Amino acid sequence: MKQVLAFAPASIGNFAAGFDVLGAAIVPVTGPPLGDQVEIRLARADAFTSEGPFAHRLPSRSEDNLALQARDAFARAWGRPLPPLAIRLVKNLPVGSGLGSSSATVVATLAALDALLEAGLGPDALLRAGGETEAQGCGTFHLDNVAPALLGGLRLVDPAGSARALPFPEELLFAVASPELELNTRDARRALPARVSQALAVAHAQNLASLVLALLTGDAGLRRTCLRDLVAEPHRAGLVPGFRAVQAAAMGQGAEGCTLSGAGPAIFAVADRGRAEAVAEAMTRAWDQAGVRCQVRICRLEEQGARIL
Amino acid sequence: MKQVLAFAPASIGNFAAGFDVLGAAIVPVTGPPLGDQVEIRLARADAFTSEGPFAHRLPSRSEDNLALQARDAFARAWGRPLPPLAIRLVKNLPVGSGLGSSSATVVATLAALDALLEAGLGPDALLRAGGETEAQGCGTFHLDNVAPALLGGLRLVDPAGSARALPFPEELLFAVASPELELNTRDARRALPARVSQALAVAHAQNLASLVLALLTGDAGLRRTCLRDLVAEPHRAGLVPGFRAVQAAAMGQGAEGCTLSGAGPAIFAVADRGRAEAVAEAMTRAWDQAGVRCQVRICRLEEQGARIL
């Protein structure tokens, strides 16, 4: 192969109870998939171009681009020098939105390189390379977006850095509302306190473990109890104008849970098929009343991760 | 009924990854069950007596006894005044040992009262009454011993205070080593810092959630990774002379995990049937070399909780 075009989907990081360790790949229930594309071809010299609706929001210096940083992380993981490569990024996901925009770029790049160079790096090595790239951007190593973007589905990152698939009910959809606000992941992380109480650490672990139990045993009541974020939301809610109103609107329409997607400012609600539309409308109205315009998408879990197109 | 005799088993609280929320009821693989008995009968006037191998270690003032505090918590939960009762506690479990001694007394009392008075309090109400009684003794509300003592098995306490059963492999046993040391639960709790880093809170939640996933999916490799305590052990290990040596000895003989049972000083190791004896012997030797005498029991998970004899 001389040329490969790869796609990686959008994702919800910090999935409710799973701060830094749980994430879901998503796809709109109607219309085209949502994600970034990266095309890579063997070339005479390294080159990088970007296009697409959010290309204008990328860093002005191309060496700051995550695709090139992912390329370098890939080379380190592979342990070989890469040939000259022409990389073309189609930036479809809004930057700094909370929809896993960074991870989609990073993972599409890694998947394209792995295929083009027939490197055969396993998922754990690709995850690590993706996590290292993300860490350059936001300051901490976490895989809750990289894992679902690479492998699809709802993914729990285990202590060894592998991404475990969790079952998720087919009847549940996500109402994902993206406001016309931008939030830097690094700033959102700075809003978090360096330390938390022992009691909160216990409650957080209990909540996440119970959510895993609920999903694996199909216990809807327990799931509803646990679809909440005890650690990040209290500190980040204030960074997103209208957050509490949007959350209350979603819950008022019967959402099972509603919190920030990733570091925000996007907000996602979990709701069954029959309620998702009403939840989405209520979220839009609430943000409208707070003076914030938003785009709402009804999505489902994307079972497929990164793929070669 | 005019008289009821109830039994509640010993238990391992703070079960590895599950500080404050995960506990296992245990029974020796040979010999009689391990636990406390409480006999209660309708009487002309309230009376309390205690007997058994550890009765001499109970508080000197009977009103400080957990059986009577549990009786009062039961009355509050039931919402009715109790008739005069004669309570006889057979104290088989060593006090302050880390084997769930307090919970066994509390739960046997609650179970006896519920049966004698035909009150029909459900498990959640009994758990809450048990947790309130324990909190009087150690200062915080937690159900990781009360839940398995009442209901048996390996129990995860969920955010709503219900105790969920987790599957546990039949081929695994516990080597439970009880040293001739006493550790007050309240002191052990004081050894814990009031706050932990955000990173530790994330790692702890990840570890517990991954253990739950491992147990529910029968993933032995992941289970071995997660059978550890990231939050309490680092601070409590120093309170138990010889802890690190005993732990290393157990792991050296192929234990899957080894940490404090409850708040200690007892130490339990998880090992498969073929290795449990060697693990137990290594633990005994290690403590012996540290100048501490201990009693080791090979136990299995006790599926049955409190019962009327």
Side-chain angles (χ1 to χ4, degrees):
Chain A
M1 271 185 294
K2 296 222 172 128
Q3 181 171 323
V4 160
L5 176 62
F7 169 87
S11 56
I12 297 170
N14 297 330
F15 189 90
F19 179 69
D20 263 6
V21 300
L22 186 64
I26 57 172
V27 57
V29 291
T30 58
L34 186 64
D36 284 353
Q37 295 183 9
V38 172
E39 186 183 67
I40 307 186
R41 63 183 169 78
L42 300 174
R44 298 243 171 123
D46 280 336
F48 176 74
T49 59
S50 60
E51 60 190 77
F54 290 94
H56 65 288
R57 304 299 309 279
L58 295 171
S60 50
R61 300 193 315 166
S62 65
E63 61 264 40
D64 293 336
N65 191 275
L66 286 164
L68 298 188
Q69 294 173 353
R71 177 198 61 189
D72 297 344
F74 182 92
R76 287 193 298 275
W78 197 29
R80 301 195 204 175
L82 302 186
L85 298 168
I87 299 181
R88 183 173 68 91
L89 166 63
V90 184
K91 190 65 204 168
N92 293 319
L93 289 175
V95 174
S97 61
L99 298 180
S101 162
S102 302
S103 292
T105 294
V106 168
V107 166
T109 305
L110 296 172
L113 287 168
D114 198 49
L116 179 73
L117 303 171
E118 295 174 8
L121 299 188
D124 285 3
L126 292 175
L127 286 177
R128 204 160 43 243
E132 284 166 9
T133 313
E134 288 256 66
Q136 289 179 279
C138 80
T140 68
F141 184 92
H142 56 100
L143 298 174
D144 50 325
N145 286 108
V146 169
L150 181 67
L151 301 166
L154 178 62
R155 294 278 167 177
L156 176 71
V157 181
D158 75 20
S162 295
R164 309 281 178 159
L166 291 178
F168 193 75
E170 272 188 35
E171 71 269 20
L172 293 184
L173 298 178
F174 308 114
V176 185
S178 307
E180 291 183 355
L181 302 166
E182 191 171 331
L183 193 61
N184 182 281
T185 304
R186 197 182 280 267
D187 293 343
R189 201 162 273 277
R190 281 203 195 104
L192 302 179
R195 302 182 82 75
V196 302
S197 72
Q198 182 89 38
L200 180 63
V202 168
H204 170 56
Q206 176 182 53
N207 196 57
L208 178 57
S210 296
L211 178 60
V212 169
L213 175 65
L215 291 171
L216 282 160
T217 59
D219 186 322
L222 183 58
R223 184 182 72 224
R224 282 184 204 108
T225 301
C226 302
L227 276 174
R228 57 187 181 148
D229 169 9
L230 300 176
V231 296
E233 183 191 292
H235 304 284
R236 288 175 169 172
L239 302 180
V240 180
F243 171 77
R244 290 290 174 209
V246 173
Q247 183 182 48
M251 298 307 283
Q253 286 296 326
E256 289 201 357
C258 178
T259 186
L260 293 168
S261 176
I267 298 176
F268 79 104
V270 178
D272 64 31
R273 279 177 195 282
R275 291 196 175 111
E277 281 287 352
V279 166
E281 282 164 23
M283 293 169 81
T284 310
R285 268 199 310 276
W287 241 332
D288 201 51
Q289 282 165 14
V292 178
R293 288 176 51 161
C294 78
Q295 181 180 9
V296 182
R297 295 178 180 90
I298 310 280
C299 296
R300 60 175 169 77
L301 193 70
E302 165 64 278
E303 294 291 351
Q304 224 190 325
R307 59 257 198 189
I308 305 304
L309 299 178
Chain B
M1 273 186 292
K2 295 222 171 127
Q3 182 170 320
V4 160
L5 175 64
F7 168 87
S11 56
I12 297 169
N14 296 332
F15 189 89
F19 179 69
D20 262 8
V21 300
L22 187 65
I26 57 173
V27 57
V29 291
T30 57
L34 187 62
D36 285 353
Q37 294 182 10
V38 172
E39 186 182 69
I40 307 186
R41 62 183 169 80
L42 299 175
R44 297 244 172 120
D46 279 335
F48 175 74
T49 59
S50 60
E51 61 190 75
F54 290 94
H56 66 288
R57 303 299 309 279
L58 294 172
S60 49
R61 298 193 317 167
S62 65
E63 62 265 40
D64 292 336
N65 191 276
L66 286 163
L68 299 188
Q69 294 174 353
R71 175 199 62 189
D72 296 344
F74 183 92
R76 286 193 298 274
W78 196 28
R80 302 194 203 174
L82 303 186
L85 298 167
I87 299 181
R88 184 172 69 90
L89 166 63
V90 184
K91 189 67 204 167
N92 293 318
L93 289 175
V95 174
S97 61
L99 298 180
S101 162
S102 301
S103 292
T105 294
V106 167
V107 166
T109 305
L110 296 173
L113 287 168
D114 198 49
L116 179 74
L117 303 171
E118 296 175 7
L121 298 188
D124 285 3
L126 292 175
L127 286 176
R128 202 159 45 243
E132 284 166 10
T133 311
E134 287 256 66
Q136 288 179 280
C138 79
T140 69
F141 184 92
H142 57 98
L143 298 174
D144 50 325
N145 285 109
V146 168
L150 181 67
L151 300 166
L154 178 62
R155 295 277 167 177
L156 176 71
V157 181
D158 76 20
S162 294
R164 307 281 177 161
L166 291 178
F168 194 75
E170 272 188 34
E171 70 271 19
L172 293 184
L173 297 179
F174 308 113
V176 185
S178 307
E180 291 183 354
L181 301 165
E182 191 171 328
L183 193 61
N184 181 281
T185 304
R186 196 184 281 267
D187 292 344
R189 201 162 273 278
R190 280 203 195 105
L192 301 179
R195 302 181 83 76
V196 302
S197 73
Q198 182 89 38
L200 180 64
V202 168
H204 170 56
Q206 176 182 51
N207 196 56
L208 177 57
S210 296
L211 178 60
V212 169
L213 176 63
L215 291 171
L216 282 161
T217 59
D219 186 322
L222 183 59
R223 184 183 71 224
R224 282 185 203 107
T225 301
C226 303
L227 275 174
R228 56 187 183 148
D229 170 8
L230 300 176
V231 296
E233 183 191 291
H235 304 285
R236 288 176 169 171
L239 302 180
V240 179
F243 171 77
R244 290 290 174 209
V246 172
Q247 184 183 49
M251 299 307 285
Q253 287 296 325
E256 290 200 357
C258 179
T259 187
L260 294 169
S261 177
I267 298 176
F268 79 104
V270 178
D272 64 32
R273 278 176 194 283
R275 292 196 175 112
E277 281 287 351
V279 166
E281 282 164 22
M283 294 169 79
T284 309
R285 269 197 310 277
W287 240 331
D288 201 50
Q289 282 165 16
V292 178
R293 289 176 50 161
C294 78
Q295 180 180 10
V296 182
R297 296 178 179 91
I298 310 278
C299 297
R300 60 175 169 77
L301 192 69
E302 165 65 279
E303 294 291 350
Q304 224 190 324
R307 59 257 198 191
I308 304 304
L309 300 178

